[in-house]
Each structure stands twice: as C-alpha cells, then as structure tokens.
Amino acid sequence: MFLPDYYEFCARVKTVAGHRALDRIPSMLSSLGVARPMIITDRGVSGAGLIKLVSGAMKGSKARVGAVYDEVPPDSEYTIVNAAAKLYRAKKCDSIIAVGGGSVLDTAKGVNILVSLGGANILDYEGAGAVKRKLKPMIAIPTTSGTGSEVTVVAVIADHKKKVKIPFTSYFLLPDIALLDSRMTKTLPPFLTAPTAMDAMTHACEAYYCMAKNPLSDATALMAIRLISANILNVIKKPGDLQGRLDLANGAILAGMAFSNSMVGMVHNLGHATGGACGVPHGVCMSLFLPYGLEYNMHKRAKEIGELLFALAGPEVYAATPVKQRPEKTIEYIRKLNQDLHDATGGRHARFLKEIVDREGRQMVPKEKLADIARTAQGDGAKVYNPEEINYDDAMMVLEYAYDGKPLKRKKIRKG
Amino acid sequence: MQSPNYYEFLGRPKMISGKRALEQIPLELEGYGAGRPLILLQGGAGSRGQADTITKALYDSSLVIGALYDGAIAGSTSGIASELAGLFRARKCDSIIAIGGGALVDVAKCVNMEVAEKKPALGLAGEGKISRELKPMVLVPVALVSGNEAANRAYIDGLACISHFLSPDVVVIDHRMTSTAETRPTLYSGLTALAHAVEAAISVSANPMIDAYAYASLRLLCEHLPAAVKKPSDKKSSVAVANAAALAAIAFSNAPAGMAHYLAEALADGTGIDPGICMGLLVRALLKTRIVEKKGIREELCLALAGPGMFSAAPASGRAKAALGAIDGTFADLGGMMPGSLREIGVTQQRLNEAVREAVKASPSKLSAKECMAVIGRAWNGK
Amino acid sequence: MNYDRYPEIKPGRKTIKRIYIAVMLFVVGRAIQAACRVDETVKKEFKNLKDGFAFVLGVHPYGPWMIVGRDAKGRAKYMGWNPEGKKIPLKMSIKNVESAILVFTFQESTAVAFARNRFVVDGDLIDALAVVRVLDLVEVYLLPKLIAALAVKRYPKWSELSPVRKHVGRIVIYTRALLGF
Ligand SMILES: NC(=O)c1ccc[n+]([C@@H]2O[C@H](COP(=O)([O-])OP(=O)(O)OC[C@H]3O[C@@H](n4cnc5c(N)ncnc54)[C@H](O)[C@@H]3O)[C@@H](O)[C@H]2O)c1
Ligand SMILES: [Fe+2]
C-alpha cells in the first residue's frame, strides 16, 4: 500500500445508503435540527417523480419544505446559483436538500455558500481558500451514480459567458449527509446511466494515479472500480435492477471520496474544457478521454495503471496477465467497455469527440474547436494534479487523437 | 461484492499525515474559529521533547497555547477529567490537542465533554448521551494502544461513552511524535488495530466504506507492523502503523465491537495482561475457526489481508486460507515479540470459561458462547 | 492541581527561516519582472492577464509576502513586500513557514505542494494557474538543472529552451534580480 510523504484526507459526510434510505429523512432532519429546508432540483428529476418520493418520505417529519427550486439546467451556472439563493432568503429557509445529479448538487453547494456567508454573487467566492466557515446544514441526495458530489469538497459551476467551468473547493463544501436510495437512480435512462457511471469510474481511476494519492483514496478508488465495473453493463441492460443501482451508487460515492482527496488529472482537465467550450455533458467527456489519460501518464504510472486491472477485470484476469502487460490491458479494458456501452445504448454512448451530437443530431465538437478546448484547458486546475505536464501543445495532440478515437502514439508524448 | 440493503457510515476525523503535519494544526483550528488550545501530553521521560516539538510546530501562527499539561495521567478518572476541565476553563481555552494514546486521550475527550456539555463527564456514560458538537479536538498519535483514541468512544471510571461527537475532528500523524513510541505500545496498537479492522469487516454492519477503511488499515499493518515493532523509531513504519491504527478505529466506530474485542477485554480485566496481544491472538483464532468450520470469510476481508497479488494468485476456494496466511506471515515477522498462544502469556485454562461468560454478558449483540469457547480455546492452545 | 505549573505559552517566531523565505521571495519577485522582459512565454502569460492584475505570494498569517503586478503595458512589475493598502485580486499563501521552507528549498515542487494542499488560493483560479506556470519557468531559469528538474514536472527540453536562450537569459535574469533593475 502506497504511503506518501504527506497526505490529507477528509470525507466527513454521514452516509446513509440503502433500498429505502429515504425513510430516514425525518430522523436526519431532526438530527440536524432544521425546520425549513429548501429543496433544490431540476425538471428532469422532478419530472421522474423523485421529488414526490422525497416529500412523501418527509411526511413523518416536523420540518416543512420552505421552498422548491427546480430550474437547475444541465451544468450549474452562476446566475442560477444567485437566483436560487435569493429564493432561499425570501422564503426564510434554514437548510438545503439537494435532489439531483452533479448539476443540482453543485448548484446547491454554491447556494449554500451564498446563504451562509452572505453576498449576492457566487463568483466573489472563487479560489481554493475563500470558504472558511461551516455552512448551513445540507443533505445531498444524488439521482445519478456519477459525480460523487455528495461527498466531495468541490462544486463545479459554469460561467457560460466566459465559456469556462469554475471549481470551488473547500472542506466546508462537504454536505452533512449523503443519502443514497436505489429508487432515486432507477429512473435514470441508460443513455445517461452510461456516461454518469463512467464519470465515477474516471474519478476512481484518476484518483489512483494522480498526485495526491494516499492509502484511503487508493482503498476507496479500488472498491469503487470493483462496484462500478461489475454493475455498469448489467444496469444499462436492466435499468430496474435495484441491487445493481445501489451498487453503482455506492461505487460513485466511494469514487467521490477518492478523488475529492486525491484530485483528478488530464481526463478532467480536458473534460472540463470540452464541457466549457462546447457544452458537452461532463460524463460523456469523461468516458472518452479516460483511455487517453491512462496512455498519457503511462510512463510515469505504469505500476498504478496495471493495478487498476485487478479492480476492473477481477482476480482471474489479473492473475492470468503477466505484470508487464497489465497496464496495457487496463487501457484495452476501458476501450472495450466504452465500445460495449456504445452497443448497449444503441450507439448513443460516444466513443470519441467526432461522434458527440446534441439533441438535434448536430455535431457538438467540430474540429475547429479543438484549439479552443486546448486553450481553455490551460486554465483548468485539474492539470496541476496530473502526473505529467500538460502544455497547450500536449493538449492539442491528445485532442486530435481523441477526435476520431485513435490510440495515442506513445512516441508523441513528451516525457518529463 | 454487493452493497448491503442498508447502512450508515461516518468517517469523521480529517486525516493529516506526514512531513510537517504538526505545523498544519493552527490553520485547522482556525477553520473552527479556535486558537487557544489546551494541550495534553503524557508526563514522563519523553515529555520534554514532545512539548518542545509541539510548541515549535506552532510558531509563527496566531495561536496561543492556553496551557500545556504534561503531568502524569495514569488512568481516565472523573477526578483528573474535572481538574483538567478546570484548567481548560481557567485559561479560556477553546480547543484540545491530545498528544499520545490510551488513557490520556480518554481524559482529553472527557474534559471536552465536561466543558462543552457543562456537566461531569461521568453523567454522559452510555451511548448517544452527547447532544451537541464538542470543542474542536486534534489527536496527535504516539501509539494508539486502546484503539478507541481515533474512534467514537471514551472511557471514564471504567465506563464507556459512545457518540460520533467523541471522534477527534482532526488526526495529525507526524513522525516526530510516532517515532517516540516504544516497542510494546507499538505492537499493542498494531494488534488492536488488526483486530478492530478485521472484526468491523466481518460484522453485521460491514459495508463498502468499512471495507475501504479496513483495506487501507490492514494493508498498512501487514506491510509495516513488523518493521515498526523491530525499530519503533523508524519514521516511515511508525507513521504507517499510526495511520493503520487511526483508520481501523474509524472502521470500528461504525460497527459493533466483535468477539475478539470482548474476549480480550474480559481476559485483560484486572490481570495486567495486555488486551492488544489477546486481541491479536483471538482474531487470528476467530478466522481460523471460521475456516475450519467452513463458514467462510468475506471476500473483501480476504482481499484486504492477502492483498491483490496473493488474493488473485489463490483459487477462489483458497482465498480465506491466503488471508489467514497473511496474518500468520505478519506474526512470524514479528518474531519473538509475538507470543504464540494465550497460554504463553500466562492465561490459565480456568480463566477461559469465565472470560467467555463475561464477554457474552458485556456484548450487546448476542455472541454465541459456543463460538467464543471454540475461538478462545484455539487461541489458548496456539498453533 | 496547581494550575500555575502549566502556564500559557505564546509560540515564538522562526526568524532565520522567515528571513530566508523573504530573500527567496524577493529574488523570485525580481526574477519574474526580469524574466518577463527576456522570456517570450512569461511575456505572453502576462499579456494575457487582466489589466490591473497583481498577485501576492507569501506565508500565512504573518508573511513574508511578495507582490508582483501587471503594468499598463502588460509587463510584470515587482511591487514590494507589503500588501497593505494595495488592491490585489489574487492571493496565494502557503499555509505555514515550514511548508514554505519545503517549497523554497525545492524539496517540494509547486505541483507537489499544491497536491499536498500547502497553498491557499484566494482569487481567480485561471490567473493562479498562469502564476504557477510563470513560477515554474522562473525556477528553471534561476536554478541549476539538477535542482530545477526536481522542482518542475517536466524540465524543458533543449529544443524548447535553447542553450543561448537559457544561459543568456539566466545571466540577465540573475543580474537584474540581484541588482534590482
Ligand atoms: N462536485 C463534483 O465533485 C463534481 C464531480 C464531477 C462532475 N461534476 C459536475 O456535475 C455535473 C454533471 O452532473 P451529472 O453527470 O450527475 O448530470 P446532471 O446533473 O447534469 O444530470 C443530467 C440529466 O439527467 C437528469 N436526471 C438526473 N437524475 C435523474 C433520474 N434519476 N431520473 C431521470 N433523469 C435524471 C437530469 O434532469 C439532467 O437532465 C457537471 O456540471 C460536472 O461538472 C461535479
Ligand atoms: Fe467528474
């Protein structure tokens, strides 16, 4: 077990997880001592009937919902955060229940900063050290098994005008309670289950090879990969499989614990930039960049990447693969998984940039945009934690390969 | 691997471990709005050096040490707790830094209960009696001999107080402190951690988070405990064992204590035998018994003990044996330090029945007396 | 218990370490200003920053500090050690003196220090990353290769940093940094 010269690890979030975990909401609310929570969610989630489930579970509670904000768009925006905070104040709420995917959870974290620390614009709190105090009580109920935001110190909030995604980091952004209920992710359609689960997979893989790795981030990452790898395809083929859903949810939260403390690297660096510059959903970028992140860092992290094979493919494959071949086999495994997901979703799961289309079927990342993405990536913090340096030229090189899904030419990677 | 139908988990302490970790304390306390800690450390031969180290580590910060108590603490009693609570109040402290392990940390937690709840700590014995966040508490391990230090419990006058609020807020592991531990406490802390991590992972509360904490803890122990015991002043392995002990305690906080834990406490009670040694022997016997009786051992625990390499190399049916082999290997590496049986450390055969009875009585979850007897008998006989 | 035996302790200062850090900060601050005049990459980084940009780098909570700003022409300008009264949009503080020593004795690279959470950043992260890139380059200039190679993730290849550019650049930066012009 790798023990670095120095590490920090904090995942101080009470986790409550199960097939009927929602039933515990009343006692959770009373343990937090709150009376008027505000629910933050989006239309997709409420349309799937999930808010009904939550308010149903709250029936036995003394607390009353103070307000519901359900206008979070995909990818949280700072104007949305500001608007929701205004509603919170107008309705005199005292806590937050966030029900949704990463977009909702991150919006809620942003709202919590504003309503706890004051101010009208979340952008005033930018930077890694700006939030220094305990915030209002918050319960996070993820409805995608993906971002792990329910247990991370990060909120990613977009500025659409500037076309960037801005990370807010602080230990105080950890919610008080993360509540995982298999019913909450059951309604997620396969074409969304695939990329969100691959986001979680990416968190675990990047956590395992990035610069702040430590015994706990390694342990949680390995558990996460085992859970996700064993369930992702089954759940996409059988969306109603509640046990599979719960396993995925547990995998995602473990992956969140891992990366929140080890941070992420190139995959997220390019992913955030692609999301910012072209509006591509986060998980889609993650799954397609993941093999490239592994290839790009291979010369510095062959051992770690080889070890991932155990968690991905299981002990039999691991034992049968000679140590030297394990790293390459890991990459092969991820590429094959992306292909399987592509097939299982009737082609909706994108394998490379060229293949990404929006609802109207238009290509989202035309080749001319690559330079834009590479430039934006230089301003994204994830590059700091990547083992190998990523300059503009490096990013460009990787993007060109990822554009039509060709494996990286290893010789082209500049090794530091 | 499958998630349980329901679980709850809280890993409360923030872990900070490694180079210049002590120097992080002022900023951590600042995050809680605190800056006047009461520092407790165990008086005695090493206390001068430890006091110096911690004071220097706090240089160049806005923090002021309200008081640094370095008197001897023999046990956790209401008497000492209320005296130190008085010191805390007299100096208008707002936080606690406990440097050490064992009774000292119990006392630190009791002081915290007294000053935060404004009543004697003894009145808070039992489970879930604490109603609010206590003052911020930083634990700086030397050797975590009781296994409770980083966990959610404290003892006062022999009674347990259990509450998540009793988990330290921050655990700061720095070799400048861990490498001052002596051989025996290092061994005891490692064996207690081993038992707690294993028992959490086979308990009814086992869940993926416990598995992850147990995995990290057990891997560190298997790889570093023998080296740390042979040379407690070794920086890297002493830090590794302190990490393992803290992580095991967090797993232990989220699961009911197990058979080895209760049996060891019963055996140690009033006999001067160290519970850590007993726990180590008992937990090995427990796993062995499960294998002999073909009850099986959870795959996650086998993985944690054997490590991915050995785990994969074994056939599916042989993984429990590989796990046991890993414990045996670790014990063997401990050499003469590790006794082979309870008999060797002076436990009489007559004590066994009694200990089983006491353990069954003490445990709130129903321990099977029959299994207890089988396990303790095996541990008594040794190999 | 006699409480007087356990008096209050006001932790002191590590003066020598602080002086060392102050000197290093001064040299680095000067070097950034100098590098911005001879190094194209550093020049470009500063051009891209906003008008009126400045950052303060130092040690929490009592300093020492060092301030570098961007002048109207888009060049780096060393602005002294005292942040008081100045409008500085970006603050990068190292959490304590010992962590700062690790960074300024190059035992920990900026990347490793970030990964180990030694820095606290207040302000725009995009700008902070530009500053980190500049710091990395300045380290390559200021330090012998043996040490600089440890301090940055990828030591620039000769193809990128020609010997002429490197050595001439280094001499110019050194003298400018030391003489303060
Ligand atoms: N904070 C972090 O640690 C972190 C980590 C990674 C990503 N992120 C951020 O999270 C965002 C992405 O979050 P996401 O991938 O969870 O997607 P998302 O929250 O954007 O949700 C995607 C879509 O799925 C719908 N949906 C969600 N749950 C559903 C359910 N159970 N049933 C039916 N429909 C459902 C939503 O309505 C939405 O339209 C990005 O902004 C990304 O930057 C944050
Ligand atoms: Fe992500």
Side-chain angles (χ1 to χ4, degrees), chain C residues 154-168:
Chain C
R154 183 198 284 158
Y155 193 79
K157 286 256 170 56
W158 294 113
S159 56
E160 285 172 58
L161 201 61
S162 78
V164 183
R165 179 178 158 193
K166 172 154 174 153
H167 288 297
V168 176

Side-chain angles (χ1 to χ4, degrees), chain A residues 288-289 292 352-354 398-406:
Chain A
L288 72 86
F289 284 130
Y292 295 95
F352 37 85
L353 291 171
K354 198 165 70 179
V398 175
L399 286 167
E400 272 164 11
Y401 282 94
Y403 184 74
D404 35 26
K406 282 196 293 284

Side-chain angles (χ1 to χ4, degrees), chain A residues 199 203 268 282 286:
Chain A
D199 182 21
H203 294 155
H268 273 79
H282 181 71
M286 293 302 103

Side-chain angles (χ1 to χ4, degrees), chain B residues 16 72 102 114 182 202 221 238 249 255 285 324 361 363 368 382:
Chain B
I16 300 182
E114 290 220 20
E182 284 161 18
I202 54 173
L221 285 172
S238 71
L324 191 67
K361 210 172 109 209
S363 156
S368 134

Side-chain angles (χ1 to χ4, degrees), chain A residues 1 7 9 12 247 250, chain B residues 3 7 12 15 169 223 243:
Chain A
M1 171 121 278
Y7 82 90
F9 186 100
R12 187 178 300 143
D247 287 344
N250 275 307
Chain B
S3 344
Y7 75 84
R12 205 176 130 97
M15 300 286 301
D169 298 287
E223 290 167 22
N243 266 285

Side-chain angles (χ1 to χ4, degrees), chain A residues 1-21 24 28 132-134 151 171-172 176 180 208 215-216 218-220 222-224 226-227 230-231 243 246-248 250 253-254 257 310 314-316 318-319 326, chain B residues 1-21 24 28 30-32 164 168-170 173 208-209 211-213 215-217 219-220 223-224 236 239-240 243 247 250 299-300 303 308-309 311-313 316 319:
Chain A
M1 171 121 278
F2 173 72
L3 180 64
D5 282 349
Y6 181 87
Y7 82 90
E8 296 181 6
F9 186 100
C10 182
R12 187 178 300 143
V13 177
K14 172 147 189 163
T15 303
V16 179
H19 293 300
R20 301 198 58 89
R24 300 278 294 140
M28 294 297 143
K132 293 183 188 120
R133 259 200 312 111
K134 173 99 183 76
V151 68
Y171 285 112
F172 299 105
D176 297 275
L180 317 179
Y208 201 76
L216 274 174
D218 283 356
T220 43
L222 290 177
M223 293 293 155
R226 294 178 71 210
L227 284 165
N231 290 287
Q243 185 60 41
L246 187 60
D247 287 344
L248 271 191
N250 275 307
I253 194 171
L254 283 160
M257 288 166 76
F310 171 80
E316 287 77 18
Y318 188 70
R326 284 175 185 163
Chain B
M1 150 172 233
Q2 203 180 46
S3 344
N5 284 336
Y6 180 79
Y7 75 84
E8 294 182 14
F9 182 91
L10 175 60
R12 205 176 130 97
K14 173 176 179 180
M15 300 286 301
I16 300 182
S17 164
K19 233 182 192 171
R20 305 285 178 273
Q24 306 296 325
E28 290 301 322
E30 215 174 274
Y32 289 92
H164 272 302
D169 298 287
V170 191
I173 299 176
M209 306 234 168
D211 289 341
Y213 276 77
Y215 179 88
S217 174
R219 291 315 309 138
L220 287 170
E223 290 167 22
H224 296 278
K236 178 126 193 178
V239 164
N243 266 285
L247 301 182
I250 296 169
E299 189 191 1
E300 276 62 43
L303 172 61
F311 178 89
S312 304
R319 286 174 187 151

Side-chain angles (χ1 to χ4, degrees), chain B residues 184-229:
Chain B
R184 285 184 177 282
T186 304
L187 175 66
Y188 300 162
S189 72
L191 293 175
T192 306
L194 176 84
H196 282 167
V198 167
E199 292 208 302
I202 54 173
S203 75
V204 290
S205 307
N207 63 57
M209 306 234 168
I210 287 186
D211 289 341
Y213 276 77
Y215 179 88
S217 174
L218 292 171
R219 291 315 309 138
L220 287 170
L221 285 172
C222 289
E223 290 167 22
H224 296 278
L225 183 61
V229 170

